[in-house]
Amino acid sequence: QAVAVLATLKAGGAYLPLDPDYPVERLEFMIADSGAVAVLTEPGLAPVAMPGRTAVLHLPPDTQQFGSHSGRGEPGHGQADGVETRSGEIDPARLAYVIYTSGSTGQPKGVAIQHRGAVNNFTDFNDRFRVGPGDTLLAVSSPSFDMSVYDLLGTLAAGATVVLPEPGEEREPGRWLALMRRHRVTIWHSAPALLELLLDHASDGAGLPDLRLALLGGDWIAVGLPDRLRAVAAGVEVISLGGATEASMDSIIFPVGEVDPAWPSIPYGRPMANQRAYILDRHGQPVPPGVPGELHLAGAGLARG
């Protein structure tokens, strides 16, 4: 997965994650709707009908084959099943990735994120929380969920380490716990429900002594969750994140300090770097403090469409 994503970006392309657990009809729709020129996959996955313009590139089962080069031509150029790959410069307005919405309100829509938005988001995280070569993150989010983009690209950009569960282990919280202890994971980044699953398995008394940062986003955070985590990871910094796939994953941030048990919810927070948030009425006008309205996001993270 890491090689596929990094190679696609290095070639100047954008990537679209295709979860093999999705229904075939949904995968076929995403491939056709996105206009993908190629699908990078591996033998053994369920066959999916491809539009005529879409090539299929099979990853070799032995990943050591990536270290060999049998092609001819100039460095930085190659041919694979009729698709030319070319390493080139990337500017901030170029497309980085496309992730499809769930389709809960109709047809799924492809959200097109430029490098500008992703890099702005990752830079804020890495600078704000001093993420660097001494850090390790366990990637538990599906590649089809935008939190996975930081797990891979933001982590590696900072010189940190990313730990990827083996296929079949990505939904086993007991295995997550073992990997975190073995690799001394310092950063957790997920939806709150996945952290709750981890904590359900972390009652053996060994704790998580290396965990220093927990970034939680994508859903409502139970008021008691931060203190549950601190019971097994003393000194961990708990961060609440908000935003949307259409705004490069996250736009709003709130450091969760002491939690008042009387709170109905964790406060939402304030905009991240180079991003803005507005509460507007039905006419698109700002409402006074304390007046309900709709949340609107703006700034560097906005998608191309």
Side-chain angles (χ1 to χ4, degrees):
Q1 180 70 22
V3 169
V5 169
L6 294 172
T8 299
L9 293 172
K10 185 174 178 61
Y15 78 94
L16 162 64
L18 298 170
D19 191 330
D21 288 337
Y22 280 178
V24 170
E25 295 78 11
R26 179 178 170 90
L27 293 172
E28 291 175 347
F29 167 78
M30 292 163 63
I31 294 167
D33 183 65
S34 66
V37 299
V39 171
L40 192 58
T41 184
E42 53 187 286
L45 293 180
V48 175
M50 300 291 174
R53 65 180 179 277
T54 305
V56 179
L57 313 180
H58 283 293
L59 288 171
D62 179 2
T63 56
Q64 292 189 21
Q65 293 184 38
F66 283 114
S68 65
H69 176 70
S70 59
R72 299 175 181 174
E74 300 175 6
H77 293 66
Q79 290 279 14
D81 293 358
V83 175
E84 182 177 4
T85 60
R86 184 183 300 269
S87 182
E89 292 186 10
I90 305 298
D91 66 64
R94 289 281 288 276
L95 198 63
Y97 64 87
V98 175
I99 285 183
Y100 274 75
T101 61
S102 63
S104 57
T105 58
Q107 191 78 275
K109 298 177 179 63
V111 178
I113 297 294
Q114 299 160 310
H115 285 269
R116 175 189 291 111
V119 170
N120 178 75
N121 189 302
F122 303 160
T123 301
D124 188 348
F125 275 178
N126 292 342
D127 289 349
R128 190 186 298 253
F129 301 116
R130 304 172 303 283
V131 179
D135 285 305
T136 300
L137 179 147
L138 176 65
V140 294
S141 295
S142 163
S144 297
F145 183 40
D146 62 355
M147 292 186 85
S148 69
V149 184
Y150 177 76
D151 291 350
L152 184 61
L153 302 180
T155 304
L156 296 180
T161 299
V162 58
V163 177
L164 295 160
E166 292 286 344
E169 296 179 345
E170 65 272 16
R171 294 181 180 86
E172 296 184 11
R175 183 58 181 154
W176 303 343
L177 190 63
L179 288 171
M180 292 182 73
R181 290 170 176 166
R182 175 183 173 189
H183 296 285
R184 306 186 67 174
V185 167
T186 60
I187 300 173
W188 177 271
H189 179 231
S190 80
L194 297 186
L195 179 60
E196 290 178 342
L197 289 174
L198 176 76
L199 294 178
D200 289 343
H201 286 73
S203 57
D204 57 5
L208 295 167
D210 298 295
L211 190 65
R212 70 173 186 89
L213 178 65
L215 302 167
L216 302 175
D219 205 351
W220 184 80
I221 301 172
V223 173
L225 184 58
D227 287 341
R228 279 190 69 197
L229 176 60
R230 292 179 180 125
V232 298
V236 66
E237 188 175 8
V238 182
I239 305 296
S240 171
L241 301 167
T245 301
E246 295 88 340
S248 299
M249 186 176 72
D250 294 307
S251 305
I252 307 289
I253 195 164
F254 179 77
V256 184
E258 184 177 351
V259 177
D260 185 342
W263 282 355
S265 62
I266 302 293
Y268 200 49
R270 297 182 179 277
M272 294 171 58
N274 303 311
Q275 307 204 56
R276 304 187 302 280
Y278 301 95
I279 308 298
L280 307 179
D281 63 19
R282 60 191 180 90
H283 302 294
Q285 298 300 311
V287 298
V291 176
E294 289 193 332
L295 175 65
H296 291 67
L297 302 175
L302 287 188
R304 178 186 294 178

